[in-house]
Amino acid sequence: MAIFVDKETRLLVQGITGREGQFHARQCIEYGTRVVAGVTPGKGGQNMDDVPVFNSVKEAVRETGANCSMIFVPPAFAAKAIMEAIDGDVDIIVAITEGIPVLDMMRIKNYLNGKQVRLIGPNCPGIITPGQCKIGIMPAFIHKPGGPIGVVSRSGTLTYEVVHQLTTKGIGQTTCLGIGGDPVNGTNFIDCLKAFEEDPETKGIVLVGEIGGTAEEEAAAYIAEKVSKPVVGFVAGLSAPPGRRMGHAGAIVSGKTGTAQSKIAVMKEAGIHVCDNLGRFGDFCAGVF
Amino acid sequence: MKIHEYQAKELFRNHHIPVPEGYVATSPEDACAMAGRLGGFPVVVKAQIHAGGRGKGGGVKLARNLQEVQSAAAAILGRPLVTPQTGPQGKKVRKVLVEQGLDIAQELYFSIIPDRSTAKIMIIASRAGGMDIEEVAAKSPEKIIKVLINPLTGIEPGHCREIGAGLNLPDSLAEKFSTLVENLYRLFIEADCSLLEINPLVITAQETFVALDAKVEIDDNALFRQKDILKFRDIDEEDPLEVEASKYNLNYINLNGNVGNMVNGAGLAMATMDLIKSAGAEPANFLDVGGGADAGMVENGFRIILSDSNVKAVLINIFGGILRCDVLAEGVVQAARKTGIKVPVVIRLQGTNVEKGREILAASGLQLITAADLNDAAGKIAEIARN
């Protein structure tokens, strides 16, 4: 078991003929992901290795039965690509692209309202169910298949660090995903917590947050009320100065809100085991799980 | 991206949003000449810097005649202005805005922001104009009106009426107010603003609305389609090392500490800064070299860190995914050979091609301190910080 994606997932890649799209599509195929189609407008009829390329998502879905799209389209065109995927009848969209304007993402978020499709990201490393499928840019070898831990994070490399330490301690993962570092994104912490809670193979959850916004506070309230499995938390940005965007568009302390200190306090109050030393994260998890 | 008040007011004028007549000056003589172009006294001389709270720091002065304009501009220009938002060192003032004084009947607060949790555009307004809105929100939240707008459907007459009613505006002003709010909303959307704030928005004795102040920030992610606004960038307002870093697409923020650091990924970079702090030192910077960095970017990043004279040690923490450890190692070696290293450098590598990366570092003959893992790196930084 896993959440959102598994070995049955049929992936199409929007932007498969670009440098990054091509590189990562190949990495996903090598991991065992069923990459069934690529989409690049104007390049329909070509092939990327053995993967057929189509002009539109609709066509790719109709011809190949793809049910998930991974997006590598540059920021200026990414919103259109996501809209096309929403209208193209896939179940899950994983948007890797970093740098999409906030206004575009707000429009997409409102457009998603009431629809069944799930958007993961943007500005995220993607999602991996170790041993089954990888949809994203994360290094595969750091993961350990078989569970029992689910990992959800707002970050990329910080997630790799956390996962690597879990694996080093012999703790495997069910599914690991990044929900992205932008202020407005698709899937949020709560969606993932709900799915991990319902997944019988997931016995514990790791939640990695950072400064900015209120996603961690909302997650903490949800955990206190609805999550029975143990949760280990980490929040990056204790030393971040207010008013500065720390790399991620969403990572900013505004006035007194969004600080790591306040998030950690709320998370501890909700019963989350918050680790305050990233260097010993693996040991900390071994103790809790 | 932040822009100056006078630039924000230029955007306002282009969108038919009333602002006081005003001109920019760079010297006291210039300020007097500009005051002469206005329709009489009093005029207001306002410091143009990228920070709020200018009035509290003495950066906004009323002048009743040319002599007062001269002395106000002389007092403000060419010196650092310290406000609650600049830090103790202040920000040097290079320009003033000389503006027509107005006959003010009432001061309001008005702003538009993207609300991240609802993904709607939020208009915030209050009768408590001219005050610190965060204070008003904390002390008397009932005085603040918030209206959410779906960016797909846009602003509707009902939104404007709701805000106007909340502000207790008389019926005679309703139409003018709706036009104003619609124009402001349109500017917010068209210019990809991440903040549009008017404090105060005034109602004059002649019953017109005028934006007395204007604070506009643009979404950095949208600058690719805001070429006209990009011209407003003022690098004098930015940290010189940050300007240098931006030339190489490096995500760098200069801080006050003494341990420089270079990391790939924003989240890991923040966590690494936290680690430096908990080791008893202070981070000198934030630097995310990004996933797609090449040896040249790493070299420039390393050089920029070392050019900060406060830096007494450097921690490089790379979790190789897309950025391979061997590429990182080559960049560090190149930079070290060119600039020389006079401070201890702790390097922690993990991930793709880590063995190759470690070999390159070892073969370089450079005095680098390698750390086995993050915990080891933190310990080595703590040891350096103690000495």
Side-chain angles (χ1 to χ4, degrees):
Chain A
M1 285 288 286
I3 70 166
F4 305 151
V5 298
D6 57 27
K7 58 182 186 298
E8 305 301 326
T9 302
R10 296 175 67 80
L11 183 68
L12 75 84
V13 181
Q14 286 174 262
I16 198 168
T17 54
R19 191 173 60 98
E20 285 198 29
Q22 186 172 328
F23 176 80
H24 290 291
R26 283 183 178 144
Q27 299 277 310
C28 292
I29 293 166
E30 195 178 301
Y31 194 72
T33 308
R34 296 165 68 164
V35 179
V36 297
V39 171
T40 303
K43 296 202 172 168
Q46 299 183 4
N47 283 294
M48 197 292 289
D49 297 345
D50 293 331
V51 181
V53 178
F54 298 89
N55 284 320
S56 73
V57 172
K58 272 203 173 125
E59 200 186 341
V61 168
R62 195 176 57 229
E63 298 296 322
T64 67
N67 58 5
C68 176
S69 177
M70 172 165 71
I71 297 181
F72 280 100
V73 175
F77 312 101
K80 270 208 170 130
I82 295 172
M83 290 281 196
E84 191 192 338
I86 295 170
D87 290 337
D89 252 352
V90 293
D91 301 326
I92 293 183
I93 302 164
V94 181
I96 308 297
T97 309
E98 175 172 7
I100 302 176
V102 178
L103 189 56
D104 293 5
M105 273 316 300
M106 289 200 292
R107 288 195 178 111
I108 286 167
K109 185 87 175 171
N110 285 286
Y111 190 66
L112 276 169
N113 240 341
K115 296 190 170 71
Q116 290 302 308
V117 53
R118 167 175 305 288
L119 170 66
I120 297 172
N123 190 11
C124 78
I127 177 167
I128 182 168
T129 291
Q132 298 196 34
C133 90
K134 162 181 135 107
I135 300 172
I137 59 175
M138 64 290 277
F141 68 92
I142 58 172
H143 301 83
K144 179 173 155 52
I149 301 302
V151 179
V152 58
S153 168
R154 276 171 69 189
S155 170
T157 47
L158 180 54
T159 319
Y160 312 162
E161 177 70 45
V162 161
V163 169
H164 180 70
Q165 289 196 32
L166 285 174
T167 297
T168 307
K169 291 285 158 198
I171 305 169
Q173 306 93 37
T174 48
T175 297
C176 307
L177 73 159
I179 58 171
D182 278 357
V184 176
N185 55 7
T187 296
N188 61 21
F189 276 139
I190 293 174
D191 301 325
C192 302
L193 290 165
K194 184 169 184 286
F196 280 134
E197 175 71 12
E198 286 166 3
D199 173 32
E201 303 216 329
T202 299
K203 307 292 183 205
I205 303 164
V206 168
L207 184 147
V208 180
E210 62 188 32
I211 56 164
T214 53
E216 290 76 9
E217 287 85 341
E218 287 152 22
Y222 184 83
I223 287 166
E225 208 178 315
K226 301 266 174 69
V227 177
S228 63
K229 298 172 182 177
V231 181
V232 167
F234 181 82
V235 180
L238 275 169
S239 57
R244 299 300 306 262
R245 240 164 257 284
M246 305 302 282
H248 288 156
I252 180 165
V253 173
S254 319
K256 290 182 184 71
T257 62
T259 66
Q261 285 80 354
S262 64
K263 287 175 187 294
I264 289 170
V266 172
M267 286 163 74
K268 282 187 173 163
E269 195 144 306
I272 300 170
H273 305 271
V274 181
C275 174
D276 52 15
N277 181 350
L278 185 63
R280 297 205 165 275
F281 191 85
D283 293 326
F284 187 87
C285 286
V288 174
F289 296 134
Chain B
M1 185 184 85
K2 290 182 179 183
I3 63 174
H4 287 294
E5 177 195 1
Y6 75 91
Q7 296 165 329
K9 283 178 170 168
E10 196 177 317
L11 295 177
F12 279 19
R13 277 192 200 97
N14 294 342
H15 282 77
H16 311 290
I17 298 149
V19 295
E21 187 182 2
Y23 304 97
V24 175
T26 52
S27 69
E29 297 69 39
D30 204 13
C32 289
M34 294 306 151
R37 288 164 69 173
L38 298 172
F41 290 95
V43 303
V44 185
V45 181
K46 305 177 82 177
Q48 300 296 292
I49 55 168
H50 285 183
R54 290 168 298 165
K56 286 178 189 160
V60 179
K61 293 183 192 294
L62 192 74
R64 290 174 203 81
N65 53 52
L66 278 182
Q67 215 166 5
E68 287 185 9
V69 172
Q70 156 87 29
S71 59
I76 295 171
L77 279 165
R79 297 170 194 213
L81 176 62
V82 180
T83 85
Q85 292 180 21
T86 58
Q89 74 286 356
K91 275 198 147 181
K92 190 176 173 187
V93 183
R94 293 175 171 84
K95 288 173 190 156
V96 290
L97 175 62
V98 185
E99 251 182 13
Q100 185 67 63
L102 297 177
D103 198 353
I104 297 166
Q106 194 185 341
E107 297 192 352
L108 305 169
Y109 173 89
F110 186 96
S111 68
I112 311 180
I113 55 166
D115 183 50
R116 50 198 286 178
S117 61
T118 61
K120 301 276 194 301
I121 288 164
M122 187 188 274
I123 296 185
I124 305 169
S126 172
R127 286 175 67 81
M131 293 160 66
D132 182 347
I133 197 67
E134 287 195 359
E135 261 174 49
V136 178
K139 282 183 194 149
S140 34
E142 75 285 353
K143 285 190 182 154
I144 292 184
I145 304 139
K146 290 179 177 174
V147 173
L148 290 170
I149 298 167
N150 183 336
L152 281 180
T153 46
I155 194 160
E156 289 159 20
H159 293 128
C160 302
R161 283 198 296 273
E162 190 181 341
I163 304 161
L167 291 171
N168 269 331
L169 294 180
D171 289 345
S172 58
L173 285 173
E175 208 180 309
K176 274 182 198 163
F177 186 69
S178 290
T179 308
L180 174 77
V181 174
E182 280 167 15
N183 286 338
L184 286 164
Y185 180 83
R186 201 165 301 132
L187 167 61
F188 185 88
I189 299 290
E190 285 173 10
D192 275 301
C193 298
S194 49
L195 170 72
L196 186 161
E197 187 180 49
I198 308 173
N199 192 18
L201 170 67
V202 303
I203 302 173
T204 63
Q206 296 77 32
E207 289 221 314
T208 58
F209 289 97
V210 179
L212 204 59
D213 196 13
K215 187 174 180 184
V216 167
E217 290 177 22
I218 310 296
D219 177 7
D220 289 328
N221 284 354
L223 289 174
F224 69 84
R225 62 185 180 203
Q226 298 294 344
K227 296 274 188 292
D228 288 341
I229 294 177
L230 200 52
K231 289 179 201 146
F232 286 154
R233 183 179 175 196
D234 183 353
I235 57 168
D236 283 340
E237 290 287 324
E238 298 172 28
D239 179 276
L241 285 180
E242 291 177 17
V243 173
E244 171 79 4
S246 72
K247 289 182 197 159
Y248 307 103
N249 286 322
L250 291 166
N251 219 326
Y252 171 91
I253 295 174
N254 192 5
L255 302 169
N256 296 323
N258 51 14
V259 176
N261 57 96
M262 176 159 67
V263 188
N264 63 328
L268 190 58
M270 277 188 272
T272 304
M273 287 166 52
D274 296 347
L275 207 68
I276 291 169
K277 189 155 180 144
S278 66
E282 286 289 329
N285 66 280
F286 166 93
L287 173 57
D288 168 15
V289 289
D294 54 26
M297 281 171 81
V298 170
E299 184 190 328
N300 282 307
F302 197 49
R303 180 176 55 78
I304 287 165
I305 291 174
L306 292 175
S307 63
D308 176 350
S309 58
N310 293 326
V311 167
K312 301 290 174 259
V314 177
L315 170 58
I316 297 176
N317 181 20
I318 299 295
F319 205 107
I322 320 167
L323 171 61
R324 304 189 323 254
C325 292
D326 54 323
V327 171
L328 178 279
E330 269 168 23
V332 169
V333 171
Q334 275 175 31
R337 292 230 168 95
K338 278 187 197 165
T339 53
I341 322 173
K342 295 170 195 74
V343 297
V345 177
V346 178
I347 301 191
R348 181 276 179 138
L349 295 180
Q350 190 51 261
T352 313
N353 290 0
V354 60
E355 296 307 329
K356 227 168 139 188
R358 286 180 184 154
E359 277 167 28
I360 292 168
L361 294 178
S364 72
L366 294 163
Q367 292 292 315
L368 302 165
I369 305 160
T370 51
D373 58 26
L374 208 47
N375 200 39
D376 187 25
K380 283 173 170 151
I381 286 295
E383 204 181 301
I384 294 165
R386 268 196 300 274
N387 299 320

